[in-house]
Amino acid sequence: MDALKINSELNLNQLLDAVKKLSPKELLTLNDAIWKEAIEIPLEHQTLVLNRVAKSELDSTRILAWEEVSNNL
């Protein structure tokens, strides 16, 4: 991107419109800048996910195909 002009009084929709005009490479750069700081996942959440993965590995009938799930929605 050659230049970026930002009006400090952009509303959210105007900002989204500007972001939609970015190239894929520019979008990745923006994403990296937004999420640059590490986000810590609470230990309780990590444990919950790991327990679910372990249960799924022990009993494959717990896992449903996305097509099946989406058809039931």
Side-chain angles (χ1 to χ4, degrees):
M1 183 167 75
D2 294 330
L4 176 63
K5 295 181 183 179
I6 297 179
N7 178 347
S8 62
E9 297 185 25
L10 289 177
N11 65 38
L12 181 58
N13 287 332
Q14 291 169 324
L15 178 58
L16 290 173
D17 287 341
V19 168
K20 289 176 185 177
K21 294 176 185 174
L22 297 175
S23 71
K25 184 177 180 181
E26 292 166 335
L27 285 169
L28 288 173
T29 301
L30 177 61
N31 186 62
D32 288 345
I34 291 171
W35 294 103
K36 187 175 184 177
E37 294 183 25
I39 297 174
E40 290 190 34
I41 300 172
L43 183 57
E44 297 84 20
H45 294 185
Q46 294 177 43
T47 302
L48 179 68
V49 170
L50 291 174
N51 286 339
R52 289 179 179 172
V53 169
K55 286 179 183 179
S56 296
E57 289 173 346
L58 291 174
D59 181 7
S60 63
T61 62
R62 294 174 48 92
I63 301 174
L64 301 174
W66 172 246
E67 293 78 19
E68 181 181 345
V69 174
S70 64
N71 287 336
N72 292 327
L73 294 178

